[in-house]
Amino acid sequence: GTNSRMSEVDCAQMMVKTRYINAWQKRRAEIARHWIERLKNTPVRSLIDDTNFANHCYHKFVIELTNRDILQRNLALRKIETKIHYAEPLQELPAYQHYPGPDMLAASYSLSRRCLSLPIYPELTDLEVEYIIDQVIDCAQ
């Protein structure tokens, strides 16, 4: 366990930020909805869709595609920072390596090599939102 505390300055800052949580979440949802629509009929699949959109918190906008590493390099050249979250599936971590079978958790294995998180935060301007998705679509073709 950890015993930690926030400083008074950090706490005051967080108290101010809590006033904006709903607006920030609404903005993230707007960005996500726009990107989902733009990705239809492309080789890129959004992991946020109609089945989970209403309950999603939009702290990550994760896409899936076969040439993830190439896309990430091309987006970096265009000054778009992306992240690979959960690059190792559970069965590859030391604590789980003793579980048998090469097909155990095959979906997590596949996703760990095909998923990429795009930058999504409420301060993105409409122009930046459009630029990001345009570059993703262009690089994924």
Side-chain angles (χ1 to χ4, degrees):
T2 301
N3 185 6
S4 60
R5 67 177 227 143
M6 294 176 73
S7 71
E8 288 80 6
V9 172
D10 289 335
C11 189
Q13 183 181 26
M14 292 305 292
M15 293 297 292
V16 171
K17 286 183 173 186
T18 58
R19 297 179 192 149
Y20 302 98
I21 290 173
N22 291 336
W24 289 341
Q25 284 302 96
K26 182 180 176 195
R27 176 65 177 156
R28 282 187 182 99
E30 289 170 359
I31 295 167
R33 177 60 74 194
H34 179 68
W35 285 354
I36 290 166
E37 289 301 314
R38 290 287 313 276
L39 290 174
K40 287 182 178 174
N41 303 313
T42 72
V44 181
R45 182 175 84 90
S46 167
L47 296 189
I48 305 173
D49 60 23
D50 291 331
T51 65
N52 59 14
F53 188 86
N55 297 320
H56 209 282
C57 66
Y58 321 107
H59 74 290
K60 290 184 180 86
F61 190 88
V62 182
I63 58 173
E64 178 189 6
L65 70 161
T66 38
N67 59 350
R68 186 253 333 253
D69 297 333
I70 295 169
L71 176 63
Q72 186 178 40
R73 280 193 299 274
N74 286 332
L75 292 176
L77 292 172
R78 297 169 189 211
K79 307 297 184 208
I80 299 172
E81 182 181 8
T82 58
K83 299 284 185 192
I84 297 172
H85 293 94
Y86 319 113
E88 293 180 272
L90 282 178
Q91 70 270 23
E92 290 184 1
L93 297 176
Y96 298 96
Q97 286 179 344
H98 65 279
Y99 287 100
D103 293 330
M104 184 184 135
L105 302 174
S108 67
Y109 178 85
S110 175
L111 288 170
S112 72
R113 282 142 178 87
R114 297 168 50 93
C115 286
L116 186 66
S117 296
L118 301 179
I120 185 168
Y121 48 93
E123 296 85 4
L124 285 172
T125 66
D126 290 346
L127 188 62
E128 291 168 325
V129 167
E130 215 49 51
Y131 177 75
I132 291 168
I133 201 63
D134 286 345
Q135 300 311 306
V136 167
I137 292 168
D138 183 53
C139 292
Q141 301 298 335

